[in-house]
Amino acid sequence: MLATEWEATSETDWVFKLREGVTFHDGTPLDAEAIRYNVERITEPGFQDWAFMEPVSHAEVIDPMTVKIVTKGLLPTLPNLMAQFFIVSPTAMEAGVEAFVQQPIGSGPYKFVDWQPDDHVRVEANADYWGGAPAIGEVVWRVLPEASTRVAALQSGEIQILKDLPSDQFDMINDEDGISALEVRSVRTPYLRFFPDSPQGGGEPFNDIRVRQAFNHAINVDSIIENLLGGHAERTATIMTPDIFGFDPEVAPYPYDLEKAQALMAEAGYEDGFEIVFDTWASGPAPKPVELAQAVAADLAKINVKATVQPVELGTALQQQNERTIAPFGLWSWGGNGFDGDGKFWGVFHPDSSATFLTDETLTSMIDEQRLSLDPDVRAPIFSEMQKYSVEQAFIVPLFAQMDTYGSTDSIQWTPRPDELVLPFAVTPAE
Amino acid sequence: MSSYLIKRIVASLFAIWGVATLTFFLLRVTADPAVLLVGEQATPERIAEVRTRLGLDQPLLVQYVDFLKGVVTLDFGDSYRFNEPAMHMVIERLPTSLKLASAAFLVALLVSIPLAIASAVWRDTPIDYIASFISFVGFAVPAFWLGAMSILLFSVRLGWLPSSGTGGIRYYILPTLTLATWPLGQFTRLLRSELLNVFHEDYIRTARAKGLREHRIVIGHALKNAFLPVLTLIGISFGSLLGGAIITEIIFAWPGLGRLVVQATLNRDFPLIESSVILLASGFVIINLIVDLLYGVLDPRIKLS
């Protein structure tokens, strides 16, 4: 890390001490002024449209190696946010953005060599890296959009690491000599959401907690994981995964129980079921979204709910979400950011989030409450409470933490990370 | 001749305008690019801000007039996602696609012409059967299957050729063959049946009666006349090879125009889509115009008036 220590000095001020002697690839020192410049650049209106640095106000230089970052409000997740913040050489930026894009200069273990859009990016080892020179001298990132081509390239030895291995080829890759399949639990959790007020109609039953609980009991998530995904997923009780701050291992998912589901439906007055439209992705963030939705619809038929699966292309789905015209029932997925429960719960349950379609005052106030403290010991119990409460109220049908799958040749040693990053610095030649 | 030319050019411009207008309106009913740009967690104010910056908050008619100006000047502004001039990005990709399309086109022509001639001359013989089989296979086998299978055989099993990417001549072989099979099948079928028709014409009988050698009859008389309908097909095929190589480009990770268009469509990157569609449509129209004009050159009986 470029910061050696940091602390929050007030509700909005964070002071970071920087590592001594670090330079960018062009020799510019990485000091407090460089950080201030970068924060200013990224918080300028219109800099980029991606909104993740929006809560940051500005930065101030305290001394050459100490910088203060000021947030607009209380922001317990700032240190995590800083890990996603790319720091570039201010000297190199003087030539303008166009020139910089052709020859980007950072401070990391690899230096930029060349880039051909949609084909490859080539980087070479930075021998002067403060953490020591990397073991792999040159790394080429190749864009291979077709999964079977990626697998072929791994089999023929053209590539050494493959991202997004199709789960049905997992065992085949492991059976071959010289290559292996790897997987790691992702923070991304697909789930099914209810939208009682859907303008498409038919969502009213979801105002009844018993119907939502019946759905949770009726959908056989374990069977979907086993039979559809070949076991390459991990059941979750909520949208949290064990890798996220605030996760409570005590909270258990709904067991599959068809009789109980039928009883709950009868109790709610829906013994004969009802009809709904069920949105899913045509392809996209969740594994096998159409097949998954069909499996869910088959389970729902057993409680007399006739769900019509409607595959939607991702861009259209996002627009419908924003215009709040989605179907009363649908598949969605949430990764959050910064490995913190805040990103998860805020994104899926807070009324201010565009992805929230069923709000609850108690849950909202808990989400707001944990944001008022920077103390992990204060926040963790609130998250625990939120997980218990969200399961009890069945606000959604949580499905699983998906697995990120990779292929790798046995000529290298490498362990995949849960955040979807492949860092060549962590790769070493096998003994 | 010149009034015909002017008429044809005006008709071509109309065709381009039609494609452009259709593209414009179809894009604007599909989705909002601003939502895709800012990401899920963005506030409504942020989305509104981006829409204003991209000019998407303007009335549709104002946007359309702006767009027509773009059609005339061939400048649709910067790509939403890459903040680079969109037309420039498209033109940068064009040679990569053009190289692959030309290679495939050349292979298709060089193989299909002799194949069709052999097949027509030695009709109902084993040579004809083999040629017909090849052209049927070319017709029937989809590119995604052929591409994947050729990678499995030549890259994974035999290790002779790279599976994907760009570079020297070795990188061209598999994608070229994959892309060439369909036009190859088409050209062979059409040319063979045209040749068979022509063989029954009086002038062929006259040529035979004169005692001309068989190869002079076929090449000098039959082929020249049978080639006219094929020329139209060739014109259309080249246009679709350029824009329709998408599947081949995806399978072989070929960084061409097709992939750029697919990505741009998924991202709702309007300027990028508009630039590529206009460029491809213009190319298509121009090639067909050239083919029409070539008719007159090849067959003096066709008066271009």
Side-chain angles (χ1 to χ4, degrees):
Chain A
M1 272 177 287
L2 293 170
T4 49
E5 52 190 279
W6 58 90
E7 59 169 340
T9 53
S10 80
E11 287 195 347
T12 56
D13 296 359
W14 292 78
V15 174
F16 290 81
K17 272 246 170 265
L18 299 176
R19 186 176 298 277
E20 298 276 347
V22 178
T23 58
F24 290 101
H25 301 150
D26 61 355
T28 310
L30 200 162
D31 54 13
E33 173 52 28
I35 303 291
R36 189 204 60 76
Y37 169 85
N38 274 277
V39 171
E40 181 183 283
R41 177 176 160 269
I42 207 166
T43 50
E44 239 169 50
F47 159 75
Q48 64 166 18
D49 300 313
W50 204 254
F52 81 99
M53 285 297 276
E54 201 154 278
V56 174
S57 162
H58 65 280
E60 294 164 18
V61 173
I62 293 181
D63 66 50
M65 295 316 274
T66 314
V67 65
K68 179 161 87 180
I69 294 181
V70 182
T71 59
K72 289 174 187 163
L74 206 60
L75 187 66
T77 55
L78 180 83
N80 291 350
L81 212 57
M82 293 308 286
Q84 301 172 43
F85 170 49
F86 297 106
I87 298 162
V88 301
S89 161
T91 320
M93 277 306 284
E94 278 169 17
V97 178
E98 278 78 23
F100 186 85
V101 169
Q102 297 305 316
Q103 192 64 45
I105 305 278
S107 61
Y110 283 90
K111 295 193 267 195
F112 174 85
V113 178
D114 69 340
W115 167 48
Q116 189 190 350
D118 268 353
D119 191 71
H120 74 269
V121 173
R122 192 188 311 272
V123 295
E124 63 178 11
N126 170 17
D128 302 326
Y129 184 57
W130 59 264
I136 308 287
E138 186 186 76
V139 179
V140 181
W141 304 87
R142 291 187 54 196
V143 187
L144 304 174
E146 168 58 35
S148 62
T149 311
R150 287 201 292 275
V151 173
L154 182 76
Q155 289 173 309
S156 63
E158 289 166 69
I159 58 173
Q160 284 74 46
I161 293 178
L162 171 159
K163 199 164 186 268
D164 293 336
L165 177 71
S167 63
D168 27 11
Q169 296 191 29
F170 202 88
D171 296 337
M172 182 197 90
I173 292 294
N174 265 338
D175 287 345
E176 271 190 52
D177 287 338
I179 51 177
S180 321
L182 307 164
E183 66 182 349
V184 62
R185 182 178 53 222
S186 161
V187 292
R188 208 173 277 284
T189 50
Y191 63 96
L192 302 164
R193 59 187 180 185
F194 304 111
F195 186 21
D197 303 325
S198 166
Q200 297 189 23
E204 303 79 25
F206 298 135
N207 283 317
D208 192 322
I209 178 175
R210 289 167 298 191
V211 173
R212 302 196 303 261
Q213 287 171 334
F215 270 51
N216 270 282
H217 277 302
I219 296 165
N220 194 344
V221 181
D222 289 324
S223 160
I224 290 174
I225 292 175
E226 206 42 53
N227 299 315
L228 185 67
L229 305 175
H232 298 291
E234 211 174 283
R235 177 104 199 249
T236 55
T238 68
I239 45 166
M240 297 284 274
T241 74
D243 303 297
I244 293 173
F245 172 77
F247 173 75
D248 185 345
E250 302 294 315
V251 182
Y254 279 82
Y256 174 65
D257 189 336
L258 189 55
E259 277 171 33
K260 195 157 184 190
Q262 282 161 339
L264 281 163
M265 287 290 278
E267 214 179 292
Y270 292 108
E271 199 166 7
D272 300 328
F274 50 86
E275 287 187 18
I276 41 164
V277 177
F278 176 8
D279 277 345
T280 187
W281 288 306
S283 70
K288 300 187 179 175
V290 177
E291 293 92 330
L292 195 152
Q294 280 159 349
V296 169
D299 281 340
L300 291 177
K302 293 173 195 157
I303 53 170
N304 296 325
V305 172
K306 187 171 176 289
T308 309
V309 175
Q310 177 175 273
V312 186
E313 185 260 338
L314 186 60
T316 311
L318 273 173
Q319 172 162 23
Q320 287 179 346
Q321 166 166 292
N322 251 58
E323 290 171 348
R324 307 192 71 76
T325 55
I326 61 164
F329 189 55
L331 174 72
W332 205 251
S333 168
W334 202 260
N337 57 23
F339 287 82
D340 190 283
D342 177 67
K344 282 283 195 178
F345 273 93
W346 191 89
V348 177
F349 297 115
H350 198 278
D352 288 346
S353 160
S354 61
T356 303
F357 290 90
L358 186 66
T359 50
D360 177 87
E361 277 176 27
T362 314
L363 190 58
T364 306
S365 64
M366 284 195 273
I367 299 171
D368 290 336
E369 192 192 338
Q370 58 81 23
R371 285 198 160 187
L372 297 177
S373 169
L374 298 175
D375 184 355
D377 294 335
V378 175
R379 298 175 71 230
I382 307 178
F383 280 125
S384 179
E385 204 49 49
M386 278 151 72
Q387 286 161 81
K388 284 181 199 131
Y389 182 68
S390 72
V391 169
E392 190 186 297
Q393 293 288 318
F395 291 127
I396 56 169
V397 183
L399 294 173
F400 46 78
Q402 68 190 61
M403 291 289 178
D404 289 335
T405 46
Y406 298 86
S408 159
T409 58
D410 298 344
S411 61
I412 55 163
Q413 269 182 341
W414 170 72
T415 316
R417 301 159 50 99
D419 58 5
E420 302 175 15
L421 292 177
V422 177
L423 302 179
F425 187 64
V427 180
T428 52
E431 260 112 71
Chain B
M1 170 79 193
S2 66
S3 76
Y4 172 80
L5 194 63
I6 290 167
K7 260 192 232 163
R8 288 290 291 124
I9 289 175
V10 170
S12 303
L13 290 177
F14 254 100
I16 294 173
W17 169 79
V19 171
T21 303
L22 207 63
T23 310
F24 176 86
F25 286 104
L26 280 180
L27 283 180
R28 270 143 190 94
V29 294
T30 54
D32 183 354
V35 178
L36 282 173
L37 267 181
V38 291
E40 263 191 291
Q41 278 142 312
T43 57
E45 296 79 48
R46 185 96 186 178
I47 294 172
E49 200 182 293
V50 173
R51 300 195 80 227
T52 311
R53 185 166 61 71
L54 300 179
L56 293 167
D57 57 339
Q58 302 279 325
L60 204 57
L61 204 64
V62 176
Q63 289 187 48
Y64 182 60
V65 172
D66 265 353
F67 167 75
L68 286 184
K69 279 184 206 153
V71 175
V72 175
T73 57
L74 288 183
D75 179 7
F76 297 96
D78 286 357
S79 148
Y80 293 164
R81 185 145 299 224
F82 301 101
N83 285 327
E84 278 181 65
M87 194 45 104
H88 182 72
M89 286 180 71
V90 172
I91 288 174
E92 245 176 16
R93 290 299 188 87
L94 193 61
T96 320
S97 281
L98 213 53
K99 279 185 216 159
L100 183 59
S102 311
F105 190 68
L106 216 64
V107 168
L109 272 185
L110 291 181
V111 177
S112 66
I113 293 175
L115 208 59
I117 294 175
S119 176
V121 170
W122 292 290
R123 190 184 178 184
D124 293 335
T125 64
I127 293 177
D128 185 21
Y129 300 146
I130 292 168
S132 297
F133 178 75
I134 293 175
S135 78
F136 276 131
V137 167
F139 247 141
V141 172
F144 66 86
W145 186 84
L146 187 67
M149 286 301 139
S150 59
I151 290 175
L152 273 186
L153 181 63
F154 293 106
S155 307
V156 178
R157 287 274 162 270
L158 301 172
W160 291 350
L161 295 167
S163 66
S164 54
T166 51
I169 195 98
R170 292 173 64 240
Y171 288 86
Y172 275 86
I173 299 174
L174 293 182
T176 301
L177 292 180
T178 304
L179 196 57
T181 46
W182 195 71
L184 192 152
Q186 269 198 319
F187 295 168
T188 312
R189 288 297 303 161
L190 187 66
L191 187 57
R192 175 183 177 274
S193 67
E194 287 301 324
L195 278 171
L196 289 176
N197 281 338
V198 169
F199 282 165
H200 295 294
E201 296 285 341
D202 290 344
Y203 55 84
I204 298 292
R205 200 171 308 133
T206 311
R208 285 222 170 88
K210 277 201 304 189
L212 276 189
R213 295 233 179 125
E214 190 65 21
H215 74 263
R216 286 214 49 191
I217 298 173
V218 173
I219 309 285
H221 295 268
L223 186 62
K224 206 175 157 190
N225 286 288
F227 210 70
L228 275 179
V230 182
L231 192 64
T232 313
L233 181 68
I234 286 176
I236 296 171
S237 297
F238 191 72
S240 32
L241 270 188
L242 201 53
I246 293 169
I247 291 171
T248 308
E249 287 187 358
I250 288 175
I251 294 174
F252 293 101
W254 193 269
L257 202 49
R259 273 174 65 199
L260 189 71
V261 177
V262 170
Q263 267 311 313
T265 309
L266 292 176
N267 293 337
R268 303 292 193 278
D269 198 331
F270 292 173
L272 208 48
I273 303 170
E274 288 160 356
S275 305
S276 18
V277 169
I278 291 299
L279 200 74
L280 288 173
S282 309
F284 200 86
V285 167
I286 290 170
I287 289 170
N288 278 288
L289 185 66
I290 294 173
V291 168
D292 277 1
L293 298 177
L294 271 181
Y295 262 51
V297 179
L298 284 180
D299 187 348
R301 286 174 308 171
I302 300 175
K303 288 213 178 78
L304 298 181
S305 55

